[in-house]
Amino acid sequence: MSARWLFSSGLLMVGLVNVVFSWSSTVTAFAGLWFLNGLAQGLGWPPCGKILRKWFEPSQFGTWWAVLSTSMNLAGGLGPIVAALVSLNYDWRMTLSFSGFICVVVSFVCLVLIKNEPSDVGLPNIEQGAKKGKKGSSSDNSTLTELLLSPYLWVLSTGYLVVFGVKTCCTDWGQLFLIQERGQSMLVGSSYMSALEIGGLVGSIAAGYLSDRAVARVGLSSYGNPRHTLLLSMMAGMCVSMFLFRVTVTGDSPKENHFWTVALQPLADLTGLKEHELWILTLGAVFGFSSYGPIALFGVIANESAPANLCGTSHAIVALMANVGGFLAGLPFSTIAKHYSWATAFWVAEITCTGSTVAFFLLRNIRTKMGRIPRKAD
């Protein structure tokens, strides 16, 4: 199906579901409609990735993917503010209907403005590196079964599951951990979340741009990927920032005199914030930078490593595994905190992230070209 039509249809469905949701009153209707809402939202990213791959060279693909991925940070930051302002004058039903109608209108705008590939507007198509083989690349004819049998697809999926799951643990439960177990104020907890999102926005763009520089310098090959170095560095940053978040932030933080207290004192004098508050915000920003960067890179690598005819499918599979990670960050993670403590739960997430980083490092040079393996290579 056309990526343009798929994306626009998904957005239209999201808008209609939100409008109907605002008219409903039963729990059964709410559950069914919200399931359809999630299903429709799942039609968003795969078409976006396919269109970006058609329009941009491999050395530009990561940057524009990262720019597009910052939409989640902007929506997460601006959405609640806009909804709150609208709800001051209207009830929740009117607010939801308003957002739904906007989605419907924008879906038709997207249908008109989005083009699947440059040839749709009379421009030459981008020649992908994989297509420069003898009489057309055989990888273009790969089947779904051949894609699913590619070990690298599952390496990416597992890494994405862990990174997205750990990120969700911090975004969903980090504020509660700070308030309930570390004795911080609600303001500090909310500020931590804001710092994390801002760091994530910067991290996404930096990951795309810097990894594109690496691709432009050495190019893509069938084994390894130039983006791996940055990906592993950011995953390591996640582990370190989580360790410091768990160990250095305590209920006695304002009274303790750590090395970072002296380092942050000039900035504290300038901003009027306390040193321990700045330290928590710094850890939030670093974690956001280090987590949203890999989230963007996993999507880029899954897309560019797959055959052109299955790049959307490849991204959908790794994104599905990321959603599994998001699920594990919910009830299973909170169950550990219930029976032990939030510190123990975050320790488990930290160890899991560290193990995934080490495993990915050991597998960084495996065959990364997914799909059918040419006979000579085999």
Side-chain angles (χ1 to χ4, degrees), residues 94-177:
M94 184 62 69
T95 302
L96 207 57
S97 295
F98 176 71
S99 64
F101 281 120
I102 290 178
C103 285
V104 170
V105 172
V106 174
S107 69
F108 287 102
V109 174
C110 291
L111 186 62
V112 173
L113 297 181
I114 292 177
K115 304 300 178 184
N116 286 324
E117 55 188 29
S119 61
D120 290 346
V121 291
L123 298 173
N125 286 335
I126 300 295
E127 289 295 329
Q128 300 293 335
K131 294 182 179 179
K132 295 179 181 178
K134 187 186 296 183
K135 296 183 180 179
S137 172
S138 62
S139 64
D140 292 340
N141 301 319
S142 294
T143 64
L144 177 59
T145 301
E146 290 167 338
L147 174 68
L148 294 176
L149 291 176
S150 300
Y152 188 59
L153 175 66
W154 302 108
V155 171
L156 286 178
S157 297
T158 305
Y160 202 177
L161 183 154
V162 172
V163 167
F164 192 85
V166 171
K167 189 275 299 183
T168 306
C169 289
C170 287
T171 53
D172 286 1
W173 305 109
Q175 185 174 4
L176 204 59
F177 168 72

Side-chain angles (χ1 to χ4, degrees), residues 336-359:
I336 296 174
K338 178 181 178 181
H339 290 287
Y340 298 96
S341 65
W342 285 113
T344 302
F346 277 101
W347 176 80
V348 171
E350 177 189 322
I351 293 299
T352 304
C353 188
T354 303
S356 177
T357 303
V358 172

Side-chain angles (χ1 to χ4, degrees), residues 119-288:
S119 61
D120 290 346
V121 291
L123 298 173
N125 286 335
I126 300 295
E127 289 295 329
Q128 300 293 335
K131 294 182 179 179
K132 295 179 181 178
K134 187 186 296 183
K135 296 183 180 179
S137 172
S138 62
S139 64
D140 292 340
N141 301 319
S142 294
T143 64
L144 177 59
T145 301
E146 290 167 338
L147 174 68
L148 294 176
L149 291 176
S150 300
Y152 188 59
L153 175 66
W154 302 108
V155 171
L156 286 178
S157 297
T158 305
Y160 202 177
L161 183 154
V162 172
V163 167
F164 192 85
V166 171
K167 189 275 299 183
T168 306
C169 289
C170 287
T171 53
D172 286 1
W173 305 109
Q175 185 174 4
L176 204 59
F177 168 72
L178 286 171
I179 296 171
Q180 288 189 352
E181 202 160 294
R182 291 301 189 250
Q184 304 299 322
S185 66
M186 292 184 64
L187 178 61
V188 171
S190 300
S191 300
Y192 167 80
M193 298 304 301
S194 298
L196 192 153
E197 291 296 334
I198 293 172
L201 190 149
V202 177
S204 294
I205 296 177
Y209 176 75
L210 294 176
S211 65
D212 275 351
R213 293 282 297 272
V215 171
R217 187 167 58 250
V218 301
L220 295 173
S221 64
S222 296
Y223 291 87
N225 190 301
R227 304 187 198 273
H228 283 174
T229 301
L230 183 61
L231 176 63
L232 286 165
S233 299
M234 287 186 150
M235 290 176 69
M238 286 180 65
C239 301
V240 173
S241 60
M242 283 194 69
F243 172 76
L244 293 175
F245 179 68
R246 180 177 59 86
V247 172
T248 64
V249 179
T250 66
D252 296 325
S253 290
K255 304 173 185 177
E256 295 176 350
N257 188 22
H258 292 291
F259 70 92
W260 44 263
T261 303
V262 178
L264 293 174
Q265 186 172 358
L267 188 58
D269 295 337
L270 184 64
T271 60
L273 296 173
K274 297 178 181 177
E275 287 85 351
H276 79 280
E277 293 174 343
L278 279 174
W279 177 244
I280 292 172
L281 296 185
T282 300
L283 290 177
V286 171
F287 180 81

